[in-house]
Amino acid sequence: MSATTHHDKTRGRWRSPRPARPGTAPRYGLRTAWVMMASGWSANQFSALLGAYRSHLGLSESTVTGLFAVYVVGLVPGLLVGGPLADRHGRRPVALVALGVNLASSVFLMVGSTAHWLLLPGRFLTGVGAGALLAAGSAWVKELSSPPFVAEAAPAAAAKRAGLFVSAGFASGGLVASMIAQWAPHPLVTAYLPHLVLASAAGLAALPVPESRQSRPAATTRPTATASPSATGPGAPAPSAYGRRFLRAVVPLAPWVFAAPAIGFATLPGLVDDGLSGWQTVYAGIMTAVVPGAGLVVQPLARRLAARSRLATAAIGMLVTTVGLALAAPAAALEQPALALVSGALLGAGYGLALTYALTEVAALAPPDRLARLTAYFWTTAYIGMFTPYVIALLSGTFGMTTLLLTGAVLAVVTCVGLLWLNRDEE
């Protein structure tokens, strides 16, 4: 048992951890953040291989797009179950079990190159493991990056660390998988090996890290909005109101968090690859790196925007997404890979701004004993956006692709205006 935590056997719950001594505490938040990177890696490694599955296995466009969407079908129960379990039993056990499921999913996908029926459960398990990791792991990383585990920490920086590592996994997983698929033998097997190594190493790094969940405060002693360090600042709601604030400040934006990048790395490559004979897989991998990579690059801007206005990060993020979708339309119509990369970068920047805003908002809203649960609700709503490529594929037979992409740009503007109106009294 780590000296940092204690278990009360008579009550069966974790006590509040002892404050870490400044300068001597292990960097627990950073060590557990690699678990989040493994989650992002597993999600996007498959995205870069969509073309390879079509060419090597002869799967149809609707089949591979459906397999892409099955990830979300598994992710939603993973989130909705993992969040409450993490609030009740602790972040650490849920996150470590979810990492094991995440590892198993890659094994299923590797075997699925010959036993094709295993691709479906493999993608489903990828979602289940990633969902539980996002719920429990995000809360674990945030709490381990905050007092008492560190002497001083900015609440916004602690909240965003999980998102940064997830984005790094998104960017790296697709690129590495595509490079292996382009040049390595048995690409639909070897492309998954790096994730097995990363997830195993992340698990070993996180194994000695202590539990971070504190005992639930009594109802009579729960901090108010003005006393809670996680709910301070202008317009901070009381815990009883966090649900209503979540509905108007986070939910309208949340689906765009992944709708924008999903269009960038799952839809756009297939629309512009006619002139990339022999290089489609590499181009798809580059796109899966450019989109979330732009989300990482934009983080300093996100911090400056947040310092000026709470809603500025969200509003600018939606406007950048709008421009990205507007550029995607001519890129698809003219089949211009370079213009599609520019569009993908803008969609990724919009994703980074939106994710930063949402995770910071959730961390500020949630009472300590509801952090994992509210985080799970956010990720669940966000991942609805991952169905967007599948919806676009279905509608493309009736409407032109240019029309669909421009309609998306209009909807992004409407969302931006609606979010600002709903929260007009919060600044």
Side-chain angles (χ1 to χ4, degrees):
M1 179 69 69
S2 168
T4 311
T5 57
H6 297 275
H7 190 265
D8 188 337
K9 295 183 179 180
T10 61
R11 297 186 180 182
R13 62 185 184 183
W14 294 94
R15 291 179 182 172
S16 301
R18 292 178 182 175
R21 289 182 296 169
T24 62
R27 303 183 70 180
Y28 289 138
L30 186 60
R31 292 173 67 175
T32 52
W34 290 99
V35 170
M36 306 304 296
M37 185 173 180
S39 173
W41 188 295
S42 70
N44 231 18
Q45 62 184 350
F46 186 86
S47 304
L49 300 175
L50 296 179
Y53 277 105
R54 287 193 295 266
S55 59
H56 288 269
L57 301 185
L59 301 181
S60 67
E61 178 69 29
S62 60
T63 299
V64 295
T65 308
L67 287 170
F68 177 83
V70 164
Y71 166 80
V72 186
V73 177
L75 183 133
V76 170
L79 284 166
L80 295 180
V81 173
L85 284 177
D87 281 334
R88 178 174 298 179
H89 300 293
R91 288 66 161 109
R92 183 179 184 275
V94 176
L96 292 178
V97 170
L99 184 64
V101 175
N102 196 246
L103 268 166
S105 69
S106 281
V107 175
F108 271 67
L109 292 172
M110 293 169 73
V111 181
S113 64
T114 53
H116 300 171
W117 65 273
L118 287 175
L119 293 174
L120 185 65
R123 281 296 285 168
F124 180 80
L125 287 177
T126 303
V128 172
L133 273 174
L134 287 171
S138 294
W140 200 19
V141 172
K142 188 265 179 185
E143 290 169 349
L144 291 171
S145 303
S146 307
F149 290 96
V150 294
E152 295 180 1
K160 287 184 286 192
R161 174 172 279 177
L164 288 172
F165 272 77
V166 168
S167 297
F170 284 149
S172 306
L175 181 61
V176 172
S178 69
M179 297 299 178
I180 292 174
Q182 184 72 32
W183 289 295
H186 309 294
L188 298 182
V189 175
T190 54
Y192 294 103
L193 291 176
H195 174 251
L196 298 183
V197 174
L198 172 63
S200 299
L204 291 175
L207 199 60
V209 175
E211 175 59 55
S212 63
R213 181 181 68 95
Q214 300 185 28
S215 299
R216 292 187 179 185
T220 57
T221 61
R222 176 176 290 180
T224 64
T226 56
S228 172
S230 64
T232 59
S240 61
Y242 75 89
R244 293 190 297 273
R245 173 76 173 274
F246 178 80
L247 288 175
R248 71 174 186 269
V250 177
V251 169
L253 177 84
W256 286 100
V257 168
F258 286 124
I263 292 171
F265 57 66
T267 299
L268 279 180
L271 300 177
V272 299
D273 64 359
D274 283 349
L276 298 169
S277 179
W279 294 91
Q280 289 92 337
T281 299
V282 171
Y283 179 82
I286 292 172
M287 185 68 90
T288 59
V290 166
V291 174
L296 286 171
V297 171
V298 81
Q299 292 305 308
L301 172 62
R303 287 192 292 270
R304 288 195 295 270
L305 288 172
R308 290 174 175 268
S309 168
R310 185 180 62 81
L311 285 171
T313 308
I316 299 298
M318 290 309 303
L319 292 177
V320 172
T321 297
T322 300
V323 177
L325 289 170
L327 282 181
L334 301 174
E335 296 186 6
Q336 290 292 321
L339 186 57
L341 279 175
V342 175
S343 170
L346 289 170
L347 292 171
Y351 148 79
L353 291 165
L355 182 62
T356 295
Y357 165 78
L359 286 177
T360 304
E361 194 72 15
V362 168
L365 287 175
D369 60 333
R370 291 292 185 269
L371 177 60
R373 187 171 311 198
L374 199 65
T375 302
Y377 293 159
F378 157 67
W379 286 116
T380 301
T381 311
Y383 266 100
I384 292 173
M386 288 291 256
F387 285 107
T388 305
Y390 187 64
V391 173
I392 290 176
L394 291 178
L395 294 178
S396 62
T398 305
F399 305 96
M401 192 59 67
T402 300
T403 301
L404 292 173
L405 292 170
L406 290 176
T407 300
V410 172
L411 292 175
V413 173
V414 171
T415 302
C416 181
V417 173
L419 185 71
L420 292 173
W421 185 83
L422 287 172
N423 298 276
R424 60 194 182 280
D425 298 328
E426 297 298 332
E427 287 296 338

